[in-house]
Each structure stands twice: as structure tokens, then as C-alpha cells.
Amino acid sequence: MMKGARLIYPAVLGLLMLGLLLLQFEKALDSSVSLQASDAPLVWTHQIKQMVSKGVLSWANTSHGLGAFSPMISGELTFLFYGLLPEQKVDEAIIITSLFFTSFFFFMFLRERGLGGLAAIAGALTLGLSSSLVSIASAGHMGKFTGMAYMTGAMWLVQRALTKRGIASVLWAGWMLGCSLICSRDTSFIILLGVGLVWLCDVVTLAAKDRRQAKRPLLVVAAVLLIGAFMSFPIAMQFMSSDQSGGGPEVMNEQQKWEWATQWSLPSDELVKLVSPSYFGWDSWDEEAPYWGSMGQSAGWKTTGQGFRNFTQTNEYLGIVAVMLALIGVGGVLAGMGKSGEKREVLMWGGLALVFLVVSLGKYGFLYRLVYSLPVMSSIRNPVKFMHVVSIALAVLTAHGVAVLEALPAKETSARRQIIAVLASSSILLFFFVLLAARAPWAQQSLAARLTRDGFAAAKDGILATMQASVLRSALFAMLVTLCVGLVCAWRKVKLPTQARFLMPGIIIVLLAADLIGVNKRYVSYYSPKRIYRSNPVFDYLRGQKGYRVKFVPHNWGLFNQWNSLLVPYYFVKSLDAPAESRPPADKVAFLRAVGAMPERYWAIAGVKDVVIPAELAPRLGSEVLSKWKPKKGFAITQGASGVRIQWLPLNQSPAFLVLENPDVNRVVEWYSGWKISDFDQAISGMGSTAFDHKGLLLLSDKGISEAGVSGALGSDKAPDGTPRSLQVLRYDESMLEFDCGEGPSGWVLFNDYFNPAWRAVSEGESCPIVRAHGIFMAVAVPSGARKVTLTYHGNTSAFWVPVSLMCLFALLSIIAAVRSLVRAKKVKVDQKPQHAES
């Protein structure tokens, strides 16, 4: 009976959370649509499914720009979704599953900390439906969801390991922590800082109770951290290495580094958004109420005017119901209504929420300068990520608020003090909220002028209406909660059946879910992939140009940007363009600065045979470009009922768009019989000189030559001998490049992709050195007599194999531990069985 009773609350939470998620993601079972996300994760899903089908776990993504970031799979359980589901539903299934387990693991965590069933359900719903998490679906940051799910799993298992003996909880807590750090590196690291403080407090508390047992809780936390660090170490090093993370900050001065690292800071005057959703707009592109605040702003925007003046795709709304319940929990517990030790609990989580809220202010607060000066923290670009810790702390306090309401009807002492404490908490919040609403910007006469000045004149009426609706909405929920709390207090002396005691807390939980679901649904939208991810005549033509790259020049034509972001990687069309890199490597930045004034040089070296441009832009490209890149084909783009329509047109009919072609450019691989050894600065200086012959002379890195161990004539400066080999590309896909270079003397083959030491070259069974060339590209040393050369990409697959290996090991150890426990229990039971005398 007792075991069955323990299953009631988890079952209620499971059914409730599943129903709410299906209500929130209302088209989750419709396979013809896909979840809308600005970062287009469907492209990554397609790429991952393609590479998994070919047995590849890591690839270079050479189709999408020079050295652009490629999708990575890890050995956590979401890997199964890529193999079992259609690509248009993989991401949505991962999000829904992650939110479900986030709430379930957090529920178990709260139960381990001694909270009741209804209280734990309220806390689980608060975190699982957190709008600051769900709204990230609009930005396509998939790792945040899985990272949060694994982190809450680690929190539960650590809590279990601290209070109960057994190695299994420790092992799996470390495994989940490692998976969380792999899935969402910086965000999970930030959450770990907050959760780690809680673990430290728990260790100190347990040690204070029994000093003889002080070592055990410390060893539990240390073991979990060590396992998590071991699993995530390769990914952390890749993230923090200079090649991956330094390019943005490395080439900036101190002030620019600070602006770069604090781009996404929560303005203090926008804190009203925490209890009033959309108060400063929903997102940057909302037609009705675009975001007009200053949380996301491009570094240096005030001086350069480049990038975004105001940018957000996420919501910081904590939930007015959740905040009120949290205040009820703090007020009620501090008024003496909590259990033993509960006062320390609410003070700890309340202090954690307050500190991390101040840190999330970033450049708008006073504390982030200190945080920024700490190791690693300067590489985190978005201080607003600290809000995730605030959400976790708030969810704990929300659970304590419901616990206070559950206990009220059963209490027979200190009734007046308890009622005053509970009502005072909600009334104070409501008072301050009304005060903020009275001083709201929409009540100021200057707001209309400000919106007009900042470019929001067209959306001014929608912004004002949305702000007013936001205030009224939150005020309505606040009054409903206050009414329910008042009824709970009024019923305190009434003798009610046990079931009736749960009525009002249950109603408040319904209000909590309705509040968060109502906001989250705004960020859940769908589209038809068939209308976007479909080929067209232009892409069919470009896909046939094997061995070369393509360059799209948008010139205010947004469709080209969509082609670069979506169709290029989807159809594996090798392009020079890449999405904007938040952390571009310093060497790439320096190279692009050197050749930026000579696009024809850059295009020719990078193997751009075709340039797609609007026809009106052709005269602006310059005489040198037009003398080499000639119009080859023309086409028109029209918008029809079924989507964009592409039609080829003869050049004499003045087509709106042109495909320029220059056959005299490098291919994906190009033979060089003449080379010169130089350092990086000399190489990019030479590339920027108009006198440099990039076709006849290859600039090789002096450092790369020595590291590759190339010696003799092959590694020496050598003039062209006039006997280039003929190259033929045999294979070029996700992670392999194979070419035949014919017969001839030794030399170098330029592979015009960004240098990455993960590439390996083999010819006739022997390894061929790969060194830097022309500053940022790769060159393969080919000895005389060698003909077929194969380059394969050996990226970091530890993110897959380490979690999988540890999962299998920990599963085996857990089974062994469980069997041993059963054997011991059976033995004890036999020993305790009374012995009967022999007849």
C-alpha cells in the first residue's frame, strides 16, 4: 500500500506534464510540419542523419563555408531520436522529452529534499514550463533543453546519494552531469556554479550533524564532479581553445572584449518583464509588438551602428503565479510555518536567486565586473544565461509556497501570525507590481516620441496595446492567487475532509500551469519543411559544378541568406559563405581583413567558380571582378501560392539575377609545383598584395613545415618547374576527400578549406603531411610517385564514445550492486527466520 501511495504523485505529474506539453506543442503528432526555429536545427538534424547513415560520427562540414561549425552528436540518449524519427520531428521530440524529464527529475529532487507531493509537482511544473527555457525553442538552441534535463537528473541523484548509501546514484549523477556539460557547455557550467553552492551548503550541513561522517558527503560531491569533468573535458577544451573561442575577443582591446562578453545583459529597467511578459515586446521581429528594449545589443553598436540595436528571441518571464507562490513560501517559512531546517532552505535558495539575478544584469549591474574577471567567465557572451539559475531557485521556492498552503488547514496554532504572513507576501508583491504599472512607460507621454525616434513608429500602437494587456494579464493572475490564498486562510479552522485540503493548492497549480502555458504557446510555431527545403533549378545547376565552391551576394535580398543558411548545407552545395560566427578564429579574421578589399582574390583562391548576384549589383563589383567573372546564366524569382518559383531566362532578356562564372580559379584541390615558406604575417601580407601570384606560388607556414616533419627538397623553397599534375576529384563528401593527381614530380596540393589538424592525408598507404597554406588553408605534401591521395576528417568523437562507454560500465556496476544488495537482503531474511526444533 505504501509503495502504491508513493507512485501516485509521480504518476499525476507524468500525466499532467505530458498533457500540458501536448497542449503546448499542439502539432507534435503532425509529421507534415516542423517546429519553427530561427537557427534552423532541421538542417543540423538532416546533416546528422546523413552522417550517421554513412557511419560517420564527426565531420568537417566543408559544404558550409570555410571551417564553419559542424553538427556534433554525443552519446546521450537523444541519439536514438535521430535514428527512429523522421527529421522534421526529431528536434521537437527532443524538446518535449527534455522538458518532460526536466520536470520529472526536478520533482524527484524536491521529494528527496523533503517536500510533499503537491509542492513538488508545483516546483516541477514551474521549472519544466519555465518560459525562459521554452522560448529558446524559437532560437533553436537544442542543447539547452537536454542540458537542463541532465542537470536536474544530476541534482536528484546527488541529493539521493547524500542521504542514502549506494554507489549507483553517485555514478549516474556524474554521468548526467557530464552529459549536461557536453550538451550545453557554458549554460550548464553556469547552472553548475549555482547548484554547486547548494551542494557545498548540504555537505557543510551534513558534516555539522555528524562530524564522523563528514567525509562521505564530500566524497560524493567530489566523485560526481570528477566524473562530469572527465566526460566533458575534451569538449570543454575544444570550446575554450584559441582556434574555437578566441577569434572574437583576441583581436579586440579590453573595452571591446567587455562589450563582446556582455552583449546579452538584462537591463535593470526591464526587470518588470520578470512578472509581466512582453512588457518590452515579444521578440525582435514580432509584427504586432517587436522588442524595443536593450537586452541584446551588438558590441560597439553605439559607435559603429553595425549589428543590432535591440535584439531578443527569448523571454525572461518567471511567471506571476510562481513569483507569488515563492514569496508566500519565503514569508510563510520565515514566519515559523515551516519544518525544521526549512528556514535555512528558503534563505539559501532565495539568496542564490537574488545573487544570480544581479549577475544576469551584466553590464547594467554592479557585480558582473567581478564575475568577468574570473577564469573562463570572460568567454561567456551572455550574462542573461545566469537567469536559468534564478528559474531553478524560484521553482524550489514555489514548491515551498505550495507546502505552506498545504499545511495551513491542518495548523491549529499561531493562526493570526500565519495568515498575516501569507497574505502580506502576496499583497506586497501585488502592491509593487501595481506601482510599477502606474509608472509604466506606456503611461508616459514621451514614450510615443521615443518609439518613433527608435524606428518603431509603425508598431507603436501594437506596442502600447501589448504592454497594457501584459500588465492587466499579470494583475488578473495575481488577484486570483491572492483570492485562493485568502480562501485557504479562511478555511483554516473549518474541519474539512483530507481530500478537500488539496482543493485550493490544486487550483493554484492549475493557475500556475495556465499562466506559463499561455506565454509559452507564443513561442511555439510550425512550418511546412516541403515549402522551404526543396531544390530549385539554381541549386540543381550548382550541385553539378563539382570540385568548386559558390558565392551568394545578397545585397538586401533576404532569400539568398536563407539559401546560405538552409539549402546550402541541406543539399551539400559547397559554399564560401557561412553563418555569422560568434567566436571567429583570430587567424581567419586577420586573413579576411587582408583580402577584404580584393574579393576576386579571395574567391579565386577559395575555388569560387560561380557567383550568384542580383543583376543590379553587377556594375558595382568593379572592373577587375567583371573582367574575370562573366555572366553565364540568368534567372528570375517570383513568389507564388506554393512558394518561391525559379525560372531560367536568357541573358538578353535582362534577368533579375545572374550567375557569374570564372573558370580560371582554384578547384577544391589545386596543384602547386612552386612554393615558398613564410610565417603567418608574411603570408597574409603577401595575399593582400596585388603583385602576388596566388596561382603560381604557394605560401606555406614555416611552423607547419617543421611540425609536419617535411624535409629535403619537398620542404624547401622551390620555383615553378612548369610541370603541374592533373588533378581529378574522385570523392568529396561529409568527411572524405579523395583525388587522383596523376604522374609527376613531388609538390603540394592546396585544399582550399580552413586549416584543421583533424584532417589526415594518406597516399599509397603512407601518411602525407598537411600544413597551413596561404595563411588559413591546407596544403598536402605529395611525394613523387604518389598518385591517389585520400583526406579523411578525424574530429573529436569523445563526446559520443566517452558517455556511451561510461553508460555501459555504470549499467554493469549498477546491476552488480543491485544483485549483491538482493543477495545480502535475502541472507539477512534467512538468518532472521526462527529456527524450529526437530521433531
Side-chain angles (χ1 to χ4, degrees):
M1 183 65 181
M2 184 64 67
K3 291 183 178 180
R6 290 178 181 176
L7 294 176
I8 292 177
Y9 285 116
V12 169
L13 172 68
L15 293 174
L16 180 61
M17 192 66 188
L18 182 60
L20 291 174
L21 288 174
L22 291 179
L23 176 65
Q24 184 170 275
F25 297 89
E26 56 188 2
K27 296 183 180 179
L29 303 180
D30 186 352
S31 60
S32 65
V33 297
S34 184
L35 188 67
Q36 179 71 52
S38 64
D39 284 358
L42 182 60
V43 173
W44 285 20
T45 302
H46 177 76
Q47 292 175 328
I48 290 176
K49 288 179 76 71
Q50 288 292 315
M51 72 182 189
V52 169
S53 67
K54 297 178 181 179
V56 179
L57 295 180
S58 180
W59 68 331
N61 203 2
T62 51
S63 69
H64 205 175
L66 302 181
F69 184 74
S70 57
M72 176 190 70
I73 58 173
S74 55
E76 28 87 19
L77 298 182
T78 54
F79 176 70
L80 297 176
F81 289 101
Y82 291 101
L84 299 177
L85 297 178
E87 63 184 30
Q88 64 269 23
K89 285 298 170 183
V90 169
D91 300 315
E92 191 175 7
I94 291 176
I95 291 175
I96 292 175
T97 304
S98 298
L99 292 174
F100 180 87
F101 279 106
T102 293
S103 63
F104 184 79
F105 289 149
F106 196 68
F107 167 84
M108 299 300 292
F109 166 75
L110 294 175
R111 292 289 276 170
E112 288 290 341
R113 294 189 79 87
L115 285 160
L118 277 179
I121 288 177
L125 292 179
T126 301
L127 184 61
L129 299 176
S130 171
S131 61
S132 62
L133 176 64
V134 174
S135 61
I136 295 176
S138 180
H141 298 317
M142 298 298 300
K144 302 291 192 301
F145 294 94
T146 51
M148 182 67 80
Y150 283 117
M151 182 62 72
T152 52
M155 292 169 62
W156 163 44
L157 292 173
V158 167
Q159 188 64 38
R160 183 178 178 85
L162 289 175
T163 55
K164 299 179 177 66
R165 291 189 177 275
I167 191 63
S169 295
V170 177
L171 296 178
W172 288 111
W175 185 83
M176 287 195 170
L177 177 61
C179 286
S180 180
L181 292 170
I182 289 173
C183 293
S184 182
R185 296 172 291 265
D186 50 353
T187 300
S188 292
F189 176 73
I190 289 172
I191 296 174
L192 180 60
L193 292 178
V195 174
L197 292 175
V198 175
W199 290 345
L200 180 61
C201 291
D202 288 344
V203 169
V204 172
T205 302
L206 292 173
K209 291 180 178 179
D210 189 349
R211 293 186 178 182
R212 294 174 299 177
Q213 301 295 328
K215 289 184 179 180
R216 184 180 174 277
L218 186 62
L219 289 175
V220 166
V221 174
V224 170
L225 293 176
L226 285 174
I227 295 173
F230 172 75
M231 287 177 59
S232 60
F233 180 77
I235 299 300
M237 290 300 97
Q238 177 183 352
F239 179 70
M240 295 307 304
S241 67
S242 58
D243 284 343
Q244 296 291 330
S245 62
E250 280 182 5
V251 295
M252 302 176 183
N253 58 38
E254 287 302 318
Q255 180 59 31
Q256 290 172 329
K257 289 180 181 179
W258 166 256
E259 291 182 357
W260 179 89
T262 59
Q263 289 180 68
W264 289 69
S265 300
L266 178 62
S268 55
D269 63 344
E270 295 185 30
L271 289 177
V272 67
K273 294 189 301 184
L274 302 181
V275 291
S276 181
S278 75
Y279 196 74
F280 281 73
W282 288 102
D283 59 52
S284 298
W285 298 284
D286 192 286
E287 295 181 0
E288 183 179 279
Y291 174 72
W292 55 276
S294 56
M295 188 192 78
Q297 191 172 88
S298 298
W301 186 91
K302 292 181 179 179
T303 56
T304 65
Q306 300 297 313
F308 296 98
R309 187 200 73 80
N310 59 306
F311 182 73
T312 185
Q313 289 177 290
T314 58
N315 188 60
E316 290 71 52
Y317 181 58
L318 295 176
I320 186 68
V321 178
V323 171
M324 293 189 69
L325 289 174
L327 290 180
I328 290 173
V330 174
V333 171
L334 294 182
M337 299 168 59
K339 301 176 182 177
S340 175
E342 200 168 356
K343 183 177 294 186
R344 181 194 68 87
E345 181 89 349
V346 298
L347 288 176
M348 177 182 65
W349 287 103
L352 188 69
L354 183 61
V355 170
F356 275 74
L357 177 61
V358 174
V359 173
S360 69
L361 298 178
K363 60 185 176 184
Y364 301 110
F366 64 91
L367 196 57
Y368 201 72
R369 278 287 183 184
L370 175 62
V371 175
Y372 174 80
S373 64
L374 299 175
V376 178
M377 303 308 295
S378 61
S379 65
I380 296 175
R381 185 175 57 159
N382 303 338
V384 76
K385 291 178 180 178
F386 285 84
M387 281 296 298
H388 287 298
V389 179
V390 180
S391 297
I392 292 174
L394 179 78
V396 175
L397 297 176
T398 299
H400 282 281
V402 173
V404 168
L405 296 180
E406 280 190 274
L408 272 176
K411 281 280 186 178
E412 296 295 339
T413 59
S414 316
R416 183 172 298 177
R417 186 177 65 179
Q418 296 163 9
I419 294 173
I420 292 175
V422 172
L423 286 179
S425 300
S426 57
S427 298
I428 289 173
L429 173 64
L430 190 58
F431 170 77
F432 279 108
F433 183 75
V434 172
L435 182 64
L436 284 171
R439 296 175 55 84
W442 57 264
Q444 301 175 11
Q445 295 180 355
S446 61
L447 176 62
R450 175 185 173 184
L451 294 176
T452 301
R453 183 189 68 235
D454 291 344
F456 297 103
K460 179 175 58 179
D461 294 338
I463 290 175
L464 296 176
T466 300
M467 294 175 71
Q468 295 179 26
S470 176
V471 171
L472 294 175
R473 178 189 186 283
S474 294
L476 174 62
F477 273 100
M479 287 187 289
L480 289 174
V481 173
T482 303
L483 176 63
C484 290
V485 172
L487 290 175
V488 170
C489 295
W491 288 0
R492 195 199 66 80
K493 291 186 177 181
V494 180
K495 293 183 178 180
L496 298 174
T498 302
Q499 294 82 353
R501 287 170 46 198
F502 301 120
L503 180 60
M504 279 303 162
I507 292 176
I508 292 178
I509 290 177
V510 171
L511 289 175
L512 173 70
D515 179 27
L516 294 174
I517 286 288
V519 174
N520 289 340
K521 284 180 71 68
R522 177 95 186 186
Y523 292 94
V524 179
S525 57
Y526 294 85
Y527 70 99
S528 173
K530 291 183 178 180
R531 296 192 60 180
I532 297 177
Y533 295 96
R534 61 179 183 179
S535 186
N536 59 59
V538 176
F539 267 76
D540 292 340
Y541 169 76
L542 296 174
R543 292 168 69 187
Q545 305 297 300
K546 297 182 179 179
Y548 294 95
R549 294 183 182 274
V550 63
K551 167 68 179 178
F552 292 94
V553 183
H555 187 58
N556 298 327
W557 187 260
L559 183 64
F560 282 10
N561 288 329
Q562 187 185 63
W563 285 8
N564 276 323
S565 300
L566 305 180
L567 298 187
V568 162
Y570 194 88
Y571 289 104
F572 198 69
V573 175
K574 287 167 277 294
S575 170
L576 184 63
D577 298 282
E581 295 178 277
S582 60
R583 299 175 177 88
D587 55 351
K588 187 186 293 188
V589 172
F591 174 83
L592 294 177
R593 285 177 178 174
V595 301
M598 298 179 296
E600 70 283 351
R601 170 74 55 79
Y602 181 29
W603 296 350
I605 297 172
V608 175
K609 182 180 179 181
D610 298 287
V611 178
V612 184
I613 64 171
E616 63 186 50
L617 186 61
R620 307 183 195 179
L621 292 179
S623 58
E624 187 172 353
V625 174
L626 291 177
S627 65
K628 297 178 181 179
W629 269 267
K630 304 291 186 181
K632 176 69 179 295
K633 299 177 75 68
F635 62 95
I637 299 177
T638 57
Q639 186 73 37
S642 60
V644 174
R645 182 171 177 265
I646 310 295
Q647 182 180 7
W648 289 118
L649 293 176
L651 295 175
N652 58 11
Q653 292 187 13
S654 301
F657 302 93
L658 298 173
V659 179
L660 307 182
E661 183 181 275
N662 180 12
D664 187 27
V665 298
N666 287 348
R667 291 164 290 179
V668 170
V669 290
E670 193 69 37
W671 178 263
Y672 282 83
S673 54
W675 59 86
K676 181 180 180 180
I677 300 175
S678 63
D679 61 26
F680 178 77
D681 292 334
Q682 292 173 336
I684 62 172
S685 176
M687 299 298 297
S689 172
T690 56
F692 176 67
D693 180 14
H694 66 88
K695 290 282 289 184
L697 190 64
L698 184 66
L699 299 180
L700 299 173
S701 167
D702 54 348
K703 183 180 179 181
I705 288 286
S706 59
E707 289 180 349
V710 180
S711 59
L714 191 61
S716 304
D717 291 5
K718 184 177 179 181
D721 60 7
T723 57
R725 294 201 198 183
S726 59
L727 294 178
Q728 180 183 4
V729 177
L730 304 177
R731 179 182 176 184
Y732 188 15
D733 56 24
E734 291 90 344
S735 59
M736 180 176 289
L737 171 63
E738 188 176 32
F739 57 89
D740 189 324
C741 51
E743 302 290 344
S746 61
W748 294 85
V749 172
L750 174 69
F751 176 28
N752 57 22
D753 197 21
Y754 181 70
F755 178 82
N756 191 326
W759 283 96
R760 301 286 187 271
V762 176
S763 177
E764 312 299 336
E766 298 292 333
S767 176
C768 297
I770 301 179
V771 302
R772 283 181 176 268
H774 286 334
I776 66 169
F777 300 99
M778 288 182 280
V780 183
V782 181
S784 59
R787 180 163 183 161
K788 183 180 291 185
V789 180
T790 302
L791 283 82
T792 53
Y793 186 77
H794 298 269
N796 187 358
T797 60
S798 59
F800 179 82
W801 290 114
V802 171
V804 167
S805 301
L806 289 181
M807 181 173 63
C808 296
L809 175 62
F810 292 170
L812 178 62
L813 293 177
S814 299
I815 293 173
I816 293 174
V819 171
R820 292 182 62 183
S821 178
L822 289 174
V823 170
R824 285 197 301 267
K826 187 174 182 180
K827 184 177 180 181
V828 170
K829 187 176 180 179
V830 171
D831 292 341
Q832 293 177 347
K833 188 176 181 179
Q835 301 293 326
H836 297 284
E838 294 183 1
S839 56

